[in-house]
Amino acid sequence: MRPRLGLPSDVDAITNVIIQAMPLDPQWDYRFPLRYEYPDDHYKYTRMLLELFLDPAHNDWCVMVVEDALEPDCETMIVAFGVWDVSYANKRKYGPDYQAQDPVTEVEERGGSTRKDANHEHFDAFWKGQIRAYKTYFGSIGPDQIHLQILATLPDYQRRGHGTSLCRWAMELVRKEGLQDMSVMASPMGYELYTWLGFETIGTFIIQVPGEKERLTLVAMMYRPGI
């Protein structure tokens, strides 16, 4: 199935995908260790973030979805999605001083700072660490790039090519728009896929709260057309 643009009406289906798929990724446990104790909070704020990504007014972000069915005669449903930072378009339109939209901060301002499912120190370290890593590894490239923020597939539909089709859609966008690259901060869960697709490893960085032993290791990766 070819990816299509995600719509605001898809928010519940996409929330279902991320709630089921992301616990397989170590960074989800790191940020949301209490999600089973507080499932309502986990669903509420996850859905709120996805609503912002899907809102046409938040056009610095693009959500693409893939629909599939386990059996040929079954009704299709959304089984995979990706979220990209596509703020390059507004930066081209409004110039280098344009400030990109930040849905994560918006969720925090709407009550996310008090959510009970999260380890807030880990959450803060993860988000700020990704921002620092992006500036370190990709900041010198300039605005002509996109960044893959989320890629998720329902467990029963994994290894059916859906993550690949979503990435290939974005790789084609990079070529069509004359962009420099597509970047991603890869966890161990996604590293193998991105390597297979031809992404380069640019560097490794650590997410860790000072004084703690627990940490995450993520890999900065880049797809560049023609490489």
Side-chain angles (χ1 to χ4, degrees):
M1 303 292 289
R2 290 182 60 84
R4 67 162 174 84
L5 184 67
L7 304 172
S9 58
D10 295 325
V11 64
D12 289 321
I14 295 173
T15 303
N16 177 59
V17 173
I18 199 170
I19 291 290
Q20 292 193 48
M22 292 307 288
L24 301 174
D25 192 323
Q27 58 94 354
W28 208 250
D29 276 336
Y30 185 76
R31 290 191 289 162
F32 306 115
L34 301 176
R35 62 186 181 276
Y36 296 118
E37 286 87 344
Y38 300 99
D40 292 344
D41 265 23
H42 192 56
Y43 186 89
K44 173 183 176 180
Y45 291 108
T46 301
R47 187 183 189 279
M48 187 183 297
L49 178 62
L50 293 168
E51 273 188 312
L52 293 172
F53 283 140
L54 289 161
D55 184 348
H58 285 74
N59 61 354
D60 282 341
W61 299 89
C62 178
V63 180
M64 300 297 292
V65 303
V66 173
E67 296 179 302
D68 196 3
L70 285 176
E71 301 294 337
D73 57 346
C74 292
E75 184 178 357
T76 61
M77 64 180 185
I78 292 173
V79 301
F81 76 99
V83 179
W84 284 266
D85 177 343
V86 293
S87 57
Y88 75 90
N90 279 328
K91 290 172 183 175
R92 285 177 171 178
K93 182 177 181 180
Y94 297 110
D97 294 331
Y98 174 77
Q99 294 297 310
Q101 299 152 346
D102 182 0
V104 172
T105 298
E106 289 189 51
V107 170
E108 291 291 288
E109 292 172 350
R110 295 184 186 188
S113 60
T114 62
R115 61 190 298 176
K116 297 178 181 179
D117 62 325
N119 179 316
H120 289 279
E121 285 190 318
H122 287 187
F123 187 96
D124 190 57
F126 181 84
W127 188 243
K128 290 180 178 178
Q130 286 212 90
I131 293 172
R132 287 195 301 271
Y134 183 87
K135 290 179 179 178
T136 298
Y137 294 112
F138 308 115
S140 63
I141 297 171
D144 282 342
Q145 57 181 312
I146 60 174
H147 180 73
L148 175 55
Q149 187 68 34
I150 303 172
L151 185 69
T153 303
L154 284 173
D156 287 347
Y157 293 83
Q158 292 178 3
R159 301 198 176 277
R160 294 166 67 106
H162 298 318
T164 296
S165 68
L166 286 162
C167 286
R168 290 198 186 281
W169 170 85
M171 293 159 73
E172 177 58 28
L173 178 67
V174 170
R175 293 189 291 267
K176 183 175 68 174
E177 290 290 298
L179 301 174
Q180 295 295 314
D181 78 283
M182 172 169 62
S183 60
V184 63
M185 308 300 183
S187 70
M189 187 177 175
Y191 179 80
E192 182 179 347
L193 170 63
Y194 304 131
T195 300
W196 181 77
L197 285 168
F199 283 63
E200 305 169 67
T201 296
I202 307 302
T204 300
F205 61 100
I206 303 298
I207 304 290
Q208 188 173 30
V209 174
E212 289 190 358
K213 291 184 178 180
E214 186 177 5
R215 66 182 191 173
L216 284 175
T217 301
L218 300 178
V219 181
M221 304 186 75
M222 174 193 296
Y223 162 76
R224 292 189 289 180
I227 301 298

